[in-house]
């Protein structure tokens, strides 16, 4: 056999990948990042902006700084409760100031550590204390062996207090604190020093976006954890504009038409004042321009993006719902869309029910009883999907429950799609 046998036709039919003729699509094209985005990551959910990209929250940063100020000198920090709607910078600002406090403390020769616990993941006492313990362990003594499972809260506390004795101040951020299922961990933290468990000063920053739970939270949270309360308000158009301007470099030079950022900020400020959503709309607008091969992002892309993000959000909201909930919401959306009056018009359970029945039957689904649908609608209002009010009927009619959607009917209908 020769060293270099002539190849059989069979082999030619399946050539090695690197022996094919150069592909008509060049590598430049194949792996191009497009003409729109220069640094996509700046607009990603979860991207944490660095210090000079946090804008419009100077006052709030100052207040969190004031609470932690003493800690940077080795004194006890003040506890803080932060309220505010979603996307108003609560988590961002708290974490950022904790990091800075740590640097400042270090410069003063004080050992300050902080932990961040998301109580929507760690929603029991054991989970929270375990989470804190591991974060502290990783910082102070990464080689210390601590069981990941099989021990209870009290054992984790023992590890935690023991580790904390090596530092001066410990600050923990309990984010989404309304998701916490029991309060023991709050008691333990607030009494840690008093009860002689540790000599370290402990500070707690509690965060919640459930403003309506404020009273209940106030009852739950030991009063010593509420030295101060701080509210983060929704961003106004100008603040959103600054936030977005600061991320303009996510795009290539010159691709954003002049009115894109003002338009996005105005829409977001009008609807919610949520920075996360504003950033999301800007990203979607860019993605839409990219997908349609347009070289420029325009305010039309922004409007489409806004619609799309709303639809997506509504889909997420109802994704786990039963078909019956979807028929009822579709019924309400159709009634609203057909109504000559404004979108704030409310409809009685009976009006919704008769259309619901028809929609279900059209799909060969057996409708639920009037009473069940009434309860389903009430649940939707609890979830914030609809709003329900008792309305006084006319003379002798008594009062009845009326409902309206919290979103435009077009969005709801598009989100529900063709299915139930
Ligand atoms: N002042 C700001 N400057 C720059 N970016 C911001 C600002 N506020 C919020 N953002 C952006 O919006 C995102 C959401 O903010 P953050 O997570 O702090 O909101 P939140 O108030 O904690 O909301 P939630 O209640 O939903 O947890 C941040 O990750 C950041 O990208
Ligand atoms: Mg948050």
């Amino acid at each position: 056999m020769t060293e270099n046998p002539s190849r059989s036709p069979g082999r030619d039919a399946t050539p090695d990948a690197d022996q094919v003729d150069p592909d008509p699509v060049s590598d430049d094209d194949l792996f191009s990042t497009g003409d729109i985005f220069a640094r996509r990551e700046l607009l990603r959910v979860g991207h944490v902006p660095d210090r000079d990209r946090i804008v419009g929250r100077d006052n709030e940063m100052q207040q969190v700084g004031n609470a932690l100020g003493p800690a940077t000198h080795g004194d006890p920090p003040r506890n803080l409760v932060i309220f505010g709607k979603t996307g108003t910078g609560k988590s961002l600002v708290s974490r950022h100031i904790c990091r800075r406090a740590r640097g400042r403390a270090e410069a003063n020769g004080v050992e300050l550590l902080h932990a961040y616990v998301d109580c929507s993941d760690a929603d029991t006492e054991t989970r929270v204390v375990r989470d804190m313990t591991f974060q502290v362990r990783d910082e102070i003594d990464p080689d210390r062996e601590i069981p990941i499972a099989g021990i209870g809260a009290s054992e984790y506390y023992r590890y935690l207090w023991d580790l904390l004795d090596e530092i001066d101040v410990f600050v923990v951020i309990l984010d989404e604190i309304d998701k916490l299922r029991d309060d023991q961990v709050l008691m333990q933290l607030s009494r840690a020093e008093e009860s002689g468990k540790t000599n370290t000063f402990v500070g707690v920053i509690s965060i919640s976006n459930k403003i309506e739970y404020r009273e209940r939270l106030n009852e739950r949270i030991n009063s010593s954890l509420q030295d101060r309360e701080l509210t983060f308000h929704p961003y106004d158009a100008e603040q959103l504009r600054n936030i977005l301007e600061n991320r303009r470099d996510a795009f290539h030079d010159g691709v954003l038409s002049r009115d894109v950022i003002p338009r996005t900020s105005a829409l977001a400020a009008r609807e919610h004042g949520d920075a996360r959503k504003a950033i999301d709309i800007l990203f979607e607008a860019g993605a839409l321009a990219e997908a349609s091969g347009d070289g420029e992002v325009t305010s039309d892309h922004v409007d489409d993006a806004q619609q799309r993000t709303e639809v997506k959000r509504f889909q997420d909201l109802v994704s786990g719902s039963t078909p019956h909930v979807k028929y009822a919401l579709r019924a309400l959306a159709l009634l609203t869309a057909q109504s000559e009056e404004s979108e704030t018009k409310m409809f009685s359970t009976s009006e919704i029910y008769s259309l619901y029945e028809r929609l279900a039957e059209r799909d060969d689904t057996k409708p639920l009883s009037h009473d069940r649908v009434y309860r389903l609608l009430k649940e939707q209002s609890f979830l914030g999907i609809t709003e329900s009010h008792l309305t006084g009927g006319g003379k002798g009619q008594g009062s009845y429950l009326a409902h309206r959607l919290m979103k435009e009917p077009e969005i709801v209908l598009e989100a529900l799609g063709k299915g139930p």
Side-chain angles (χ1 to χ4, degrees), residues 287-308:
L288 285 174
E290 187 172 52
S292 50
D294 300 337
E296 193 183 26
V297 188
T298 66
S299 58
D300 285 345
H301 292 127
V302 173
D303 292 347
D304 290 352
Q306 141 97 357
Q307 171 97 3
R308 245 185 209 223

Side-chain angles (χ1 to χ4, degrees), residues 42 44 46-49 53-57 84-93 175-176 207-209 232 235 243 246-247 274-277 279:
L42 295 181
R44 279 178 47 153
H47 168 77
V48 177
R53 285 179 191 270
I54 298 182
V55 285
R57 288 279 103 134
K85 289 198 173 163
T86 179
T88 52
K90 302 179 297 298
S91 305
L92 176 67
V93 166
D175 208 347
E176 317 268 340
I207 306 180
S208 173
N209 56 21
F232 281 46
Y235 290 110
I243 291 173
N246 245 356
R247 300 181 192 214
D274 176 336
R276 192 185 287 120
K277 288 184 187 161
I279 294 168

